[in-house]
Amino acid sequence: MIPKSPVTHCLALAGLMLVGCQNTPKPSPTATEKPDADLVMMPGVGGRQAAGSAFGLKPMTMEELTACGKRLVAMNQESAQLKVISKQLITKKADIARQVEELEVERSKVDVGSRQKVADFNRRLEQNRDVISQYNSQSEDYNGKVNALSLESNQFNANCASRAYRASDAEKLPADLLAAMRGNSQVTDIPLIDDGLKSESHPTEGTHLPGTSSRR
């Protein structure tokens, strides 16, 4: 067997080293990527929370972030106002129901031979009618606002919720917008008032005692 020359041996080793380098797997670019700690997700409203991760999502522009923040603040304020109105209407409806019951009890006790007492009772009936009419108008207005807030909440969830934005951009926003995005959403499902007070449900409403003319 003819021994290899030193030159031939070196060339063989160089070839093996080259093959070894060529076969070494290169790290995948995605394997070295790390989540951007500056990216966060816009929360949802009406019980919907941001789902998933902001990793890999394109962040909103400063203009988009500001617009979403303003919408969130406005909805929080509207939701808080509607909660107050809802409680007021519930209380008012209970008061009206109590007034109607009192009038029904008093009806049988009115001295129909006294024009003055009949007139006084019928005047109270008219006042009760006005209160019922006012309540129905307020509850209708309230329901319209609840429906509008529900629509706005759906639009916000479709256009803003679960979208990524940069925390560093949010720091540049006004304090109220930043607080709304960082805090828990104040927007909740506000219940509708599904039954107004109807005259046929209250025998005294519009039903006068004889002895005086009724207002129509």
Side-chain angles (χ1 to χ4, degrees):
M1 181 175 181
I2 302 174
K4 295 182 180 180
S5 67
V7 175
T8 303
H9 183 69
C10 289
L11 288 174
L13 288 176
L16 289 175
M17 293 177 62
L18 180 60
V19 171
C21 292
Q22 289 175 340
N23 293 334
T24 302
K26 296 181 179 180
S28 172
T30 57
T32 59
E33 289 181 2
K34 295 182 180 179
D36 189 340
D38 194 35
L39 285 183
V40 291
M41 294 178 69
M42 181 72 69
V45 296
R48 171 175 169 179
Q49 300 299 323
S53 170
F55 177 59
L57 297 180
K58 180 181 178 181
M60 286 188 279
T61 65
M62 194 66 187
E63 290 75 17
E64 291 174 326
L65 181 60
T66 301
C68 288
K70 288 181 177 179
R71 292 176 71 176
L72 186 55
V73 168
M75 286 189 297
N76 282 342
Q77 294 173 345
E78 181 69 9
S79 181
Q81 292 173 359
L82 288 175
K83 289 176 185 177
V84 173
I85 296 174
S86 177
K87 292 180 180 179
Q88 292 173 342
L89 289 174
I90 291 173
T91 300
K92 189 170 187 177
K93 186 175 183 178
D95 289 341
I96 292 174
R98 186 179 65 254
Q99 292 171 13
V100 169
E101 291 177 0
E102 291 173 353
L103 287 170
E104 282 300 302
V105 172
E106 187 177 343
R107 172 185 290 275
S108 61
K109 299 179 181 180
V110 175
D111 182 3
V112 295
S114 170
R115 291 182 57 86
Q116 183 61 49
K117 291 182 179 180
V118 169
D120 289 343
F121 179 80
N122 286 340
R123 183 175 61 254
R124 291 179 60 191
L125 288 180
E126 295 291 353
Q127 292 173 346
N128 183 256
R129 170 191 284 178
D130 291 340
V131 170
I132 289 175
S133 177
Q134 183 185 53
Y135 169 85
N136 287 338
S137 177
Q138 291 174 340
S139 62
E140 183 178 356
D141 179 69
Y142 164 85
N143 283 341
K145 291 180 178 178
V146 170
N147 286 328
L149 178 61
S150 177
L151 178 61
E152 176 65 17
S153 297
N154 290 337
Q155 292 176 343
F156 179 89
N157 285 334
N159 299 324
C160 295
S162 299
R163 292 188 63 187
Y165 66 91
R166 293 195 174 278
S168 55
D169 286 342
E171 293 289 346
K172 304 172 186 176
L173 296 174
D176 58 336
L177 273 64
L178 180 59
M181 288 187 294
R182 285 184 170 176
N184 294 325
S185 170
Q186 302 301 309
V187 182
T188 56
D189 292 330
I190 310 295
L192 291 169
I193 296 178
D194 55 4
D195 57 335
L197 295 175
K198 308 297 184 181
S199 59
E200 57 267 23
S201 301
H202 303 277
T204 61
E205 198 278 316
T207 306
H208 294 72
L209 287 174
T212 185
S213 59
S214 61
R215 172 166 59 88
R216 298 296 181 186

